[in-house]
Amino acid sequence: DARVTQTPRHKVTEMGQEVTMRCQPILGHNTVFWYRQTMMQGLELLAYFRNRAPLDDSGMPKDRFSAEMPDATLATLKIQPSEPRDSAVYFCASGLVLAGISYNEQFFGPGTRLTVL
Amino acid sequence: KNEVEQSPQNLTAQEGEFITINCSYSVGISALHWLQQHPGGGIVSLFMLSSGKKKHGRLIATINIQEKHSSLHITASHPRDSAVYICAVNYNTDKLIFGTGTRLQVFP
């Protein structure tokens, strides 16, 4: 049963600490998305990758957030230093985008619930 | 201004009722998605469509490209259908633009 996995599922940390969230996309998928969900803003795209290359990170605060794909089976989202306003649920999703098609079905991971005190 | 509008924001129903959730968008799209999020947070993709109609079990999704409008219907609703339903669109890119969601509660 192929699914997107994310770790940790929950993270409580203090302001100023570094937070790293990990995502394992579905094997064979070539596109990985990072989303943030808050009560106020709903779901927002932070960044996404195609074949491990970053395509768009315009939704991400660049001074403290960074996203990488060190290999095809791992995507990471890092916050350093973390702030209370970063408290949210962070979702990773993956999909298979075919050549010439600008959309794909996305499969979401269970999310990482981050609380920054 | 959110480019994807959903209505209603909240919906309550009795078990067995037919339910409709609406989504409208502002310009031409390449695809529209309906997502379901249960309490506890997991997000599941229900449908992805760019024209016509799709059906899966008791769920039906339709899209009218000319009207820039989509509907999600649930027939014979059940308490386990209680969730937030989210409409999202691709405006000719991979990026999804999300609606604010419709919170559905189905009572026995």
Side-chain angles (χ1 to χ4, degrees):
Chain A
D1 182 25
R3 61 182 69 190
V4 176
T5 58
Q6 289 185 247
T7 57
R9 295 291 308 277
H10 302 271
K11 176 74 176 178
V12 180
T13 191
E14 292 188 342
M15 184 173 65
Q17 296 298 304
E18 179 178 298
V19 175
T20 298
M21 291 169 270
R22 293 177 175 80
C23 167
Q24 182 172 12
I26 292 173
L27 190 65
H29 282 184
N30 60 1
T31 309
V32 175
F33 303 83
W34 281 107
Y35 297 101
R36 176 171 62 186
Q37 186 178 41
T38 62
M39 289 294 293
M40 293 300 295
Q41 300 293 330
L43 275 162
E44 304 172 287
L45 177 69
L46 295 174
Y48 77 104
F49 296 79
R50 173 79 42 76
N51 297 320
R52 296 176 55 202
L55 285 192
D56 191 327
D57 62 1
S58 58
M60 208 163 65
K62 304 287 191 309
D63 56 336
R64 299 183 300 108
F65 284 60
S66 61
E68 296 179 346
M69 276 202 77
D71 63 61
T73 64
L74 177 65
T76 62
L77 179 67
K78 190 173 295 187
I79 309 174
Q80 167 62 22
S82 58
E83 297 181 2
R85 59 180 166 151
D86 301 329
S87 297
V89 181
Y90 291 81
F91 288 99
C92 172
S94 72
L96 176 63
V97 174
L98 303 176
I101 305 291
S102 62
Y103 57 89
N104 61 288
E105 185 175 9
Q106 296 187 22
F107 297 82
F108 287 76
T112 294
R113 184 174 297 274
L114 174 66
T115 302
V116 183
L117 302 174
Chain B
K1 180 183 183 300
N2 201 318
E3 298 168 54
V4 180
E5 301 287 340
Q6 281 187 243
S7 63
Q9 278 193 295
N10 295 283
L11 185 55
T12 57
Q14 287 295 124
E15 183 173 356
E17 285 185 6
F18 181 85
I19 288 162
T20 296
I21 300 170
N22 297 299
C23 176
S24 59
Y25 50 91
S26 53
V27 295
I29 61 170
S30 46
L32 182 143
H33 305 247
W34 283 103
L35 309 170
Q36 180 192 57
Q37 186 172 26
H38 274 110
I43 298 174
V44 174
S45 174
L46 297 175
F47 296 103
M48 182 182 70
L49 64 168
S50 53
S51 65
K53 174 178 165 178
K54 287 191 175 180
K55 184 175 190 290
H56 182 69
R58 294 180 296 105
L59 301 178
I60 303 167
T62 64
I63 187 167
N64 184 319
I65 299 297
Q66 287 73 31
E67 298 287 324
K68 297 185 177 57
H69 179 269
S70 174
S71 293
L72 176 68
H73 305 285
I74 305 175
T75 62
S77 59
H78 189 276
R80 65 175 175 265
D81 297 326
S82 299
V84 176
Y85 292 84
I86 303 167
C87 173
V89 301
N90 294 102
Y91 283 114
N92 297 314
T93 75
D94 299 313
K95 295 164 65 167
L96 282 179
I97 306 299
F98 296 91
T100 53
T102 295
R103 185 175 299 276
L104 170 66
Q105 287 185 289
V106 181
F107 294 98

Short mmCIF file of all heavy atoms in Angstrom, two decimals, chain A residues 33 35 37 43 45 48 50 55-56 58 91 97 102-106 108, chain B residues 30-31 33 35 37 41 43 45 48 50 86 90 92-96 98:
data_model
loop_
_atom_site.label_atom_id
_atom_site.label_comp_id
_atom_site.label_asym_id
_atom_site.label_seq_id
_atom_site.Cartn_x
_atom_site.Cartn_y
_atom_site.Cartn_z
N PHE A 33 5.59 18.21 -2.97
CA PHE A 33 5.08 19.51 -2.53
C PHE A 33 5.16 19.60 -1.01
O PHE A 33 4.90 18.63 -0.31
CB PHE A 33 3.61 19.68 -2.93
CG PHE A 33 3.33 19.55 -4.40
CD1 PHE A 33 3.17 18.30 -4.98
CD2 PHE A 33 3.21 20.68 -5.20
CE1 PHE A 33 2.91 18.17 -6.34
CE2 PHE A 33 2.95 20.56 -6.55
CZ PHE A 33 2.79 19.31 -7.13
N TYR A 35 3.26 21.84 1.99
CA TYR A 35 2.17 22.75 2.30
C TYR A 35 2.16 23.04 3.80
O TYR A 35 2.60 22.22 4.60
CB TYR A 35 0.82 22.14 1.93
CG TYR A 35 0.61 21.87 0.47
CD1 TYR A 35 0.75 20.58 -0.04
CD2 TYR A 35 0.27 22.89 -0.41
CE1 TYR A 35 0.53 20.32 -1.39
CE2 TYR A 35 0.06 22.64 -1.76
CZ TYR A 35 0.19 21.35 -2.24
OH TYR A 35 -0.01 21.10 -3.57
N GLN A 37 -0.70 24.34 6.78
CA GLN A 37 -2.12 24.59 7.05
C GLN A 37 -2.27 25.24 8.41
O GLN A 37 -1.82 24.71 9.43
CB GLN A 37 -2.92 23.30 7.00
CG GLN A 37 -4.42 23.52 7.14
CD GLN A 37 -5.21 22.23 7.05
OE1 GLN A 37 -4.83 21.21 7.60
NE2 GLN A 37 -6.34 22.26 6.33
N LEU A 43 -4.78 26.12 3.67
CA LEU A 43 -3.64 25.42 3.06
C LEU A 43 -2.89 26.37 2.12
O LEU A 43 -3.49 27.03 1.28
CB LEU A 43 -4.14 24.22 2.24
CG LEU A 43 -4.36 22.93 3.00
CD1 LEU A 43 -5.24 21.98 2.20
CD2 LEU A 43 -3.02 22.26 3.31
N LEU A 45 0.81 26.61 -0.31
CA LEU A 45 1.99 25.96 -0.86
C LEU A 45 3.25 26.70 -0.39
O LEU A 45 3.34 27.92 -0.53
CB LEU A 45 1.94 25.96 -2.38
CG LEU A 45 3.15 25.38 -3.10
CD1 LEU A 45 3.23 23.87 -2.90
CD2 LEU A 45 3.11 25.72 -4.60
N TYR A 48 7.91 23.39 -4.01
CA TYR A 48 7.79 22.08 -4.61
C TYR A 48 8.97 21.76 -5.53
O TYR A 48 9.68 22.67 -5.98
CB TYR A 48 6.45 21.87 -5.30
CG TYR A 48 6.22 22.51 -6.64
CD1 TYR A 48 6.27 21.75 -7.81
CD2 TYR A 48 5.87 23.84 -6.74
CE1 TYR A 48 6.01 22.31 -9.04
CE2 TYR A 48 5.61 24.42 -7.96
CZ TYR A 48 5.67 23.65 -9.11
OH TYR A 48 5.39 24.21 -10.34
N ARG A 50 10.55 19.04 -8.66
CA ARG A 50 10.33 18.09 -9.76
C ARG A 50 11.66 17.40 -10.03
O ARG A 50 12.67 18.07 -10.25
CB ARG A 50 9.87 18.82 -11.03
CG ARG A 50 9.76 17.97 -12.28
CD ARG A 50 8.50 17.13 -12.34
NE ARG A 50 7.35 17.85 -11.90
CZ ARG A 50 6.71 18.78 -12.62
NH1 ARG A 50 7.11 19.09 -13.82
NH2 ARG A 50 5.67 19.38 -12.11
N LEU A 55 11.37 23.87 -7.96
CA LEU A 55 10.69 24.59 -9.03
C LEU A 55 10.11 25.92 -8.54
O LEU A 55 10.02 26.86 -9.30
CB LEU A 55 9.57 23.74 -9.64
CG LEU A 55 9.98 22.61 -10.56
CD1 LEU A 55 8.77 22.07 -11.31
CD2 LEU A 55 11.05 23.05 -11.54
N ASP A 56 9.67 25.93 -7.33
CA ASP A 56 9.03 27.14 -6.80
C ASP A 56 9.10 27.10 -5.29
O ASP A 56 8.63 26.15 -4.68
CB ASP A 56 7.57 27.19 -7.26
CG ASP A 56 6.90 28.53 -6.97
OD1 ASP A 56 7.22 29.17 -5.96
OD2 ASP A 56 6.04 28.93 -7.77
N SER A 58 8.39 30.21 -3.69
CA SER A 58 7.95 31.59 -3.44
C SER A 58 7.02 31.71 -2.23
O SER A 58 6.86 32.80 -1.69
CB SER A 58 7.25 32.15 -4.68
OG SER A 58 6.15 31.35 -5.03
N PHE A 91 2.19 19.65 5.64
CA PHE A 91 1.90 18.47 4.84
C PHE A 91 2.89 18.37 3.68
O PHE A 91 3.24 19.35 3.04
CB PHE A 91 0.49 18.54 4.24
CG PHE A 91 -0.62 18.35 5.23
CD1 PHE A 91 -1.29 19.43 5.76
CD2 PHE A 91 -1.00 17.07 5.61
CE1 PHE A 91 -2.33 19.26 6.66
CE2 PHE A 91 -2.03 16.88 6.51
CZ PHE A 91 -2.70 17.97 7.05
N VAL A 97 3.95 13.66 -12.44
CA VAL A 97 3.59 14.59 -13.51
C VAL A 97 4.15 14.05 -14.81
O VAL A 97 5.36 13.79 -14.92
CB VAL A 97 4.16 15.99 -13.22
CG1 VAL A 97 3.91 16.92 -14.41
CG2 VAL A 97 3.52 16.56 -11.97
N SER A 102 0.24 19.79 -17.07
CA SER A 102 0.59 20.76 -16.02
C SER A 102 -0.16 20.50 -14.72
O SER A 102 -0.32 21.37 -13.91
CB SER A 102 0.31 22.18 -16.50
OG SER A 102 -1.07 22.32 -16.76
N TYR A 103 -0.62 19.29 -14.51
CA TYR A 103 -1.31 19.00 -13.26
C TYR A 103 -1.20 17.51 -12.96
O TYR A 103 -0.87 16.71 -13.83
CB TYR A 103 -2.78 19.41 -13.31
CG TYR A 103 -3.55 18.75 -14.43
CD1 TYR A 103 -4.18 17.53 -14.25
CD2 TYR A 103 -3.65 19.36 -15.68
CE1 TYR A 103 -4.88 16.92 -15.27
CE2 TYR A 103 -4.34 18.76 -16.71
CZ TYR A 103 -4.96 17.55 -16.51
OH TYR A 103 -5.64 16.94 -17.53
N ASN A 104 -1.45 17.16 -11.74
CA ASN A 104 -1.36 15.75 -11.37
C ASN A 104 -2.17 15.53 -10.09
O ASN A 104 -2.39 16.47 -9.32
CB ASN A 104 0.08 15.35 -11.12
CG ASN A 104 0.72 16.13 -9.99
OD1 ASN A 104 1.00 17.31 -10.12
ND2 ASN A 104 0.92 15.50 -8.86
N GLU A 105 -2.60 14.31 -9.88
CA GLU A 105 -3.24 13.98 -8.62
C GLU A 105 -2.15 13.97 -7.54
O GLU A 105 -1.07 13.43 -7.76
CB GLU A 105 -3.91 12.62 -8.68
CG GLU A 105 -4.69 12.28 -7.41
CD GLU A 105 -5.45 10.98 -7.53
OE1 GLU A 105 -5.24 10.24 -8.52
OE2 GLU A 105 -6.24 10.69 -6.61
N GLN A 106 -2.48 14.56 -6.41
CA GLN A 106 -1.50 14.64 -5.33
C GLN A 106 -1.92 13.75 -4.18
O GLN A 106 -3.09 13.71 -3.81
CB GLN A 106 -1.36 16.09 -4.87
CG GLN A 106 -0.81 17.01 -5.96
CD GLN A 106 -0.50 18.39 -5.47
OE1 GLN A 106 -0.31 18.63 -4.28
NE2 GLN A 106 -0.43 19.33 -6.39
N PHE A 108 -1.29 12.97 -0.26
CA PHE A 108 -0.81 13.70 0.90
C PHE A 108 -0.32 12.75 1.99
O PHE A 108 -0.90 11.68 2.22
CB PHE A 108 -1.94 14.57 1.48
CG PHE A 108 -2.26 15.78 0.66
CD1 PHE A 108 -2.99 15.66 -0.52
CD2 PHE A 108 -1.81 17.03 1.04
CE1 PHE A 108 -3.28 16.77 -1.29
CE2 PHE A 108 -2.10 18.16 0.27
CZ PHE A 108 -2.83 18.03 -0.89
N SER B 30 -6.55 24.21 -15.55
CA SER B 30 -6.20 22.95 -16.21
C SER B 30 -6.82 21.76 -15.49
O SER B 30 -7.10 20.74 -16.12
CB SER B 30 -4.68 22.79 -16.30
OG SER B 30 -4.07 23.10 -15.06
N ALA B 31 -7.06 21.90 -14.19
CA ALA B 31 -7.72 20.81 -13.46
C ALA B 31 -8.29 21.33 -12.15
O ALA B 31 -7.84 22.36 -11.62
CB ALA B 31 -6.74 19.67 -13.17
N HIS B 33 -9.59 19.89 -8.22
CA HIS B 33 -9.48 18.76 -7.30
C HIS B 33 -10.49 18.93 -6.17
O HIS B 33 -10.72 20.05 -5.69
CB HIS B 33 -8.09 18.71 -6.67
CG HIS B 33 -6.96 18.67 -7.64
ND1 HIS B 33 -6.15 17.56 -7.80
CD2 HIS B 33 -6.50 19.60 -8.52
CE1 HIS B 33 -5.23 17.82 -8.72
NE2 HIS B 33 -5.42 19.04 -9.17
N LEU B 35 -10.82 17.49 -2.31
CA LEU B 35 -10.08 16.82 -1.25
C LEU B 35 -10.97 16.68 -0.03
O LEU B 35 -11.88 17.49 0.19
CB LEU B 35 -8.83 17.63 -0.87
CG LEU B 35 -7.91 18.08 -2.01
CD1 LEU B 35 -6.87 19.05 -1.50
CD2 LEU B 35 -7.25 16.89 -2.67
N GLN B 37 -10.80 16.12 4.24
CA GLN B 37 -9.95 16.13 5.42
C GLN B 37 -10.80 15.82 6.64
O GLN B 37 -11.67 16.59 7.04
CB GLN B 37 -9.26 17.47 5.60
CG GLN B 37 -8.25 17.48 6.74
CD GLN B 37 -7.42 18.74 6.79
OE1 GLN B 37 -7.84 19.80 6.34
NE2 GLN B 37 -6.21 18.64 7.33
N GLY B 41 -6.91 15.25 10.74
CA GLY B 41 -6.03 15.95 9.83
C GLY B 41 -5.69 15.35 8.50
O GLY B 41 -5.32 16.09 7.62
N ILE B 43 -5.42 14.28 4.72
CA ILE B 43 -6.05 14.81 3.51
C ILE B 43 -6.04 13.72 2.45
O ILE B 43 -4.99 13.14 2.16
CB ILE B 43 -5.30 16.05 3.00
CG1 ILE B 43 -5.34 17.17 4.03
CG2 ILE B 43 -5.90 16.53 1.67
CD1 ILE B 43 -4.52 18.39 3.67
N SER B 45 -7.27 12.77 -1.55
CA SER B 45 -7.76 13.25 -2.83
C SER B 45 -8.96 12.41 -3.24
O SER B 45 -8.88 11.19 -3.34
CB SER B 45 -6.64 13.13 -3.87
OG SER B 45 -7.12 13.45 -5.16
N MET B 48 -9.98 14.32 -9.27
CA MET B 48 -9.30 15.32 -10.08
C MET B 48 -10.02 15.32 -11.42
O MET B 48 -10.17 14.26 -12.02
CB MET B 48 -7.83 14.98 -10.27
CG MET B 48 -7.06 16.00 -11.07
SD MET B 48 -5.33 15.55 -11.32
CE MET B 48 -5.48 14.17 -12.46
N SER B 50 -11.08 17.70 -15.16
CA SER B 50 -10.93 18.88 -16.01
C SER B 50 -12.15 19.09 -16.90
O SER B 50 -12.27 20.13 -17.54
CB SER B 50 -9.67 18.78 -16.86
OG SER B 50 -9.66 17.56 -17.57
N ILE B 86 -12.47 20.21 0.56
CA ILE B 86 -11.68 21.32 0.04
C ILE B 86 -11.61 21.23 -1.48
O ILE B 86 -11.30 20.17 -2.04
CB ILE B 86 -10.25 21.30 0.62
CG1 ILE B 86 -10.28 21.34 2.14
CG2 ILE B 86 -9.41 22.46 0.07
CD1 ILE B 86 -8.96 21.02 2.80
N ASN B 90 -5.72 23.90 -10.39
CA ASN B 90 -4.45 24.18 -11.06
C ASN B 90 -4.73 25.24 -12.13
O ASN B 90 -5.50 25.00 -13.07
CB ASN B 90 -3.91 22.93 -11.79
CG ASN B 90 -3.53 21.82 -10.86
OD1 ASN B 90 -4.27 20.84 -10.71
ND2 ASN B 90 -2.36 21.95 -10.26
N ASN B 92 -3.08 26.17 -14.73
CA ASN B 92 -2.06 25.88 -15.75
C ASN B 92 -0.65 25.74 -15.19
O ASN B 92 0.33 25.94 -15.90
CB ASN B 92 -2.07 26.93 -16.87
CG ASN B 92 -3.39 26.91 -17.61
OD1 ASN B 92 -3.88 25.85 -17.98
ND2 ASN B 92 -3.96 28.08 -17.82
N THR B 93 -0.55 25.44 -13.92
CA THR B 93 0.74 25.07 -13.31
C THR B 93 0.49 23.89 -12.38
O THR B 93 -0.65 23.51 -12.14
CB THR B 93 1.37 26.22 -12.49
OG1 THR B 93 0.65 26.35 -11.25
CG2 THR B 93 1.34 27.53 -13.23
N ASP B 94 1.58 23.34 -11.84
CA ASP B 94 1.44 22.27 -10.86
C ASP B 94 0.86 22.77 -9.55
O ASP B 94 0.36 21.99 -8.75
CB ASP B 94 2.82 21.68 -10.52
CG ASP B 94 3.49 21.10 -11.75
OD1 ASP B 94 2.82 20.36 -12.47
OD2 ASP B 94 4.68 21.39 -11.94
N LYS B 95 0.97 24.07 -9.31
CA LYS B 95 0.59 24.62 -8.00
C LYS B 95 -0.90 24.56 -7.80
O LYS B 95 -1.67 24.88 -8.70
CB LYS B 95 1.07 26.07 -7.90
CG LYS B 95 2.57 26.21 -7.93
CD LYS B 95 3.02 27.63 -8.20
CE LYS B 95 2.65 28.59 -7.14
NZ LYS B 95 3.37 29.87 -7.30
N LEU B 96 -1.30 24.13 -6.61
CA LEU B 96 -2.72 24.11 -6.26
C LEU B 96 -3.08 25.38 -5.52
O LEU B 96 -2.37 25.80 -4.60
CB LEU B 96 -3.02 22.90 -5.37
CG LEU B 96 -3.16 21.54 -6.06
CD1 LEU B 96 -3.45 20.46 -5.02
CD2 LEU B 96 -4.24 21.56 -7.11
N PHE B 98 -6.08 26.71 -3.17
CA PHE B 98 -7.10 26.05 -2.37
C PHE B 98 -8.25 26.98 -2.02
O PHE B 98 -8.04 28.17 -1.77
CB PHE B 98 -6.49 25.53 -1.05
CG PHE B 98 -5.45 24.48 -1.24
CD1 PHE B 98 -4.11 24.82 -1.38
CD2 PHE B 98 -5.79 23.13 -1.28
CE1 PHE B 98 -3.14 23.85 -1.55
CE2 PHE B 98 -4.83 22.16 -1.45
CZ PHE B 98 -3.50 22.52 -1.59
#
